[in-house]
Amino acid sequence: MPIVPNDFTLQLIGSDNLSVITKNGTVFTPLNKLQVNLLFKATKLSDKSSIEIPIALTVEGSHKDNGINAKPFIIPSLREWVGAEGNFVLTTKSRIVVDTKDASTLMQAATVFQNDLIELGALKPTVVVGVPKTGDIFISLNGNKEELGVEGYSLSIANYISINAAQYKGVFWGTRTILQMLEQDAKLSSLPKGISRDYPKYEVRGFMLDVGRKYFTIDFLRDYVKLMAYYKMGDFQLHLNDNAFVKHYNNDWESTYSGFRLENERYPELPTKGEFYTKKEFIDLQILAESYGVNIIPEIDVPAHSLAFSKAFPQIASKEYGKDHLDINNPETYTIVENVFKEYLEGDSPVFRFKEVHIGTDEYDKKESESFRKFTDHFIKHVQSFGKEVRVWGALTHAQGITPVTSKGVTMNAWYNGYADPLKMKELGYPLISTPDGLLYIVPAAGYYYDYLNVKHLYNNWEPVTIGNTVFHMGDPFIRGGMFAVWNDVAKNGITAQDVTDRVFPAIQVLSEKMWSGTNKVVAFNEFSKKAKNINEGPGLNLRGLIKSKDSLVLNFPLNGKDKIKKGRHTKYVSDGKIKVLNLKKHSSHVKLPYNEIGYNYTVAFKINPSKNNKENAVIFQSNHATVKLKQGKTGNLGFSHEGNDYDFGISIPEDKWSSIAVTGDNNSTTLYLDGILAKKLTREKVSTGSEKDSIWVMKTLFFPLNTIGNESNSFVGKIKDLKVFNTILSTAQIQAIKEEE
């Protein structure tokens, strides 16, 4: 303990490693020697003034060194590790064994783990309850809650693997560690022997997705739960309502895009038609998240960002600040918003299942500070009346005033220090989630904030204790953790769900490390980045459309009848000169390919001979995300479509004649080669929109569809051959060489 004068009292208020030194001063011996940052509060008895005193302590470990086997590379990295000698190998006899006394709690984790091992292609272990034998994986809840907390676990890899935690989430995180180890083994079976204690540095490790301005399917959100869990990211915030900028729509509020994404029975006019989640879908999403250790944080954003509300209820729109602002001096505004929250919060089985709910509350005009503060306080208490804790966006420095706003049971996303000064918010009693916009906001293709986060800078320099230019002491209990965000400010700009994932994935890999382990001084960014390429999204997921192979040619189908293609409908192989080619005879002709799609960077090459008089929108290739069309609408040109948007290359493909086609795609453009010659490059384009010479960037990217050739109802009719798919972008010379091949 630090020495202080006699007229002071001293209190330990924080530790940046609660699994080694707890807030009450209990010390749990780590495996390795560690430095722990403690935060003390010294209070003067005479006037109750206080100062904070940070102290760094070295705690000796139970082992003198890191042992024999090197610490395995995991994202986020293991906090403690001592390597033994040799390897553990999974076999066909290996089982997942659940401790008998914990069977009712852990069976769900065991079942998910079993399915993941099958998806990974490792083995098909049985799940049993009982005592482990050599070769098994044993999961139990024998851990000390004070030591391991909600999320920590101990891991032993010896004759059998043991994952031991105090709560479900800790065990589940341990299974993610095992999966990542196996994924990096060529045979998906071998793990280095050793022991580990693993636990998070920060409680909140989150990602926020703006689904209000851009609709994402419920299946996409379900996949993101699994993706986040694979990296031990525990908070998934869904920004359920918002709207685009009126300036992009000729300053006409009625035509400005807005979204509200959750079924509402009391106000059925509120959810966006065709683009919302049913209550059952949303509840099922949360049930899935519970089994994966992820908290769903639903956000209904009021009283700004609320055009969806005022379109449904014009009488509560602000007449002074724009229709995306609710009139917070109108009692009916309170009634409607109360009823919306009530529908999702009331009853024994509420729609919002988790303990925290986000109520938005930011970016309202500061002239209404007192009314805004009253509104915020009212809805904090309204949501809390249903037994929930509340999250809000930081706004109280912007909206200064004398109206008190509840801080007990409220956590604030500290996103911009001009809107909420982090130090002042701490003084007011608000725990903070570090969400600095200047570092952690992705706004795809907008031209401001980040298109892709600067992950190298974040890896080397950021931790949640840094909020803007304010840096808190390590271990400060008011910093709950951090969160990054994707804001889809520019609605209808061509950004697809796949484009969003292209931006999110590298950020998740880096930020999961920073929020679980803190700054890694052992592994440099370049080494981390290189090794991270060997860890993907988690078993059963391929959101990035990766196709791996020994070389860049991942698919080579002459389409002559000898390829491994499942038999399609209304297709046959016909002679064409000395070879056979695939002939699609009808508008219902199609064959199934072994993949769904390929993501950036790729080259897809094929030769096509369309018959005369193909229909509009005749499909050449299709996936569940996109179609490539011989004739895009009425244009007659080769093109593609996804998420309701149509693009064409401005070039028609000759009929009754063989043409050599190649398409390349990256995260910024889609390029067509016709007969080996560059024909058209579609790239992000600045398009005039709205008023006052306003413009937005429109993207023209494509995850190339590879699920089927043709389509059940509107296939192109004609012949196709020589399909080649590369997981790289070929040069013009290489594409020319493919054209010459026969």
Side-chain angles (χ1 to χ4, degrees), residues 130 149 193 259 353 377 465 586 603 633 677 731:
K193 289 184 177 180
R353 294 172 61 92
D377 185 64
V465 289
K586 298 183 178 181
T603 303
I677 298 171
S731 67

Coordinates of all heavy atoms in Angstrom, one line a residue, residues 130 149 193 259 353 377 465 586 603 633 677 731:
G130 N -19.9 -36.8 -17.3 CA -19.1 -37.7 -16.4 C -17.7 -37.3 -16.2 O -17.4 -36.1 -16.0
G149 N -13.9 -14.3 -12.4 CA -15.0 -13.4 -12.8 C -16.0 -14.1 -13.7 O -16.1 -15.4 -13.7
K193 N 0.8 -28.8 -25.5 CA 0.5 -29.0 -24.1 C 1.0 -27.8 -23.3 O 2.0 -27.2 -23.6 CB 1.1 -30.3 -23.6 CG 0.5 -31.5 -24.1 CD 1.1 -32.8 -23.5 CE 0.4 -34.0 -24.0 NZ 0.9 -35.3 -23.4
G259 N -35.4 4.3 -41.2 CA -35.7 2.9 -40.9 C -36.0 2.7 -39.5 O -35.3 3.3 -38.6
R353 N -34.2 -9.1 -23.9 CA -33.9 -10.1 -22.9 C -32.7 -9.7 -22.0 O -32.6 -10.2 -20.9 CB -33.6 -11.5 -23.6 CG -34.8 -12.1 -24.3 CD -34.4 -13.3 -25.1 NE -33.8 -14.3 -24.4 CZ -34.5 -15.3 -23.8 NH1 -35.9 -15.4 -24.0 NH2 -34.0 -16.3 -23.1
D377 N -33.7 12.0 -18.8 CA -33.8 11.5 -17.4 C -35.1 10.7 -17.3 O -35.2 9.6 -16.7 CB -33.9 12.6 -16.4 CG -33.9 12.2 -15.0 OD1 -33.0 11.5 -14.5 OD2 -35.0 12.4 -14.3
V465 N -8.8 3.1 -22.2 CA -8.6 4.3 -21.3 C -8.4 5.6 -22.0 O -8.4 6.7 -21.4 CB -7.4 4.0 -20.3 CG1 -7.8 3.0 -19.3 CG2 -6.2 3.6 -21.1
K586 N -33.1 -23.9 -71.5 CA -34.3 -23.2 -71.2 C -34.1 -22.1 -70.2 O -33.0 -22.0 -69.6 CB -35.4 -24.2 -70.6 CG -35.7 -25.3 -71.6 CD -36.8 -26.2 -70.9 CE -37.3 -27.3 -71.9 NZ -38.3 -28.2 -71.3
T603 N -10.5 -13.0 -59.7 CA -10.7 -12.9 -61.2 C -11.6 -14.1 -61.5 O -11.3 -15.2 -61.1 CB -9.4 -13.0 -61.9 OG1 -8.6 -11.9 -61.5 CG2 -9.7 -12.9 -63.5
G633 N -31.6 -5.6 -67.2 CA -32.8 -4.9 -67.4 C -33.1 -4.6 -68.9 O -32.9 -5.5 -69.7
I677 N -9.5 -7.9 -73.6 CA -9.2 -6.4 -73.6 C -10.0 -5.7 -72.5 O -11.2 -6.0 -72.4 CB -9.5 -5.8 -75.0 CG1 -8.6 -6.5 -76.1 CG2 -9.4 -4.3 -75.0 CD1 -9.0 -6.1 -77.5
S731 N -3.4 -9.9 -64.1 CA -3.0 -8.8 -64.9 C -3.7 -8.9 -66.3 O -4.2 -9.9 -66.6 CB -1.5 -8.8 -65.1 OG -1.1 -9.9 -65.9

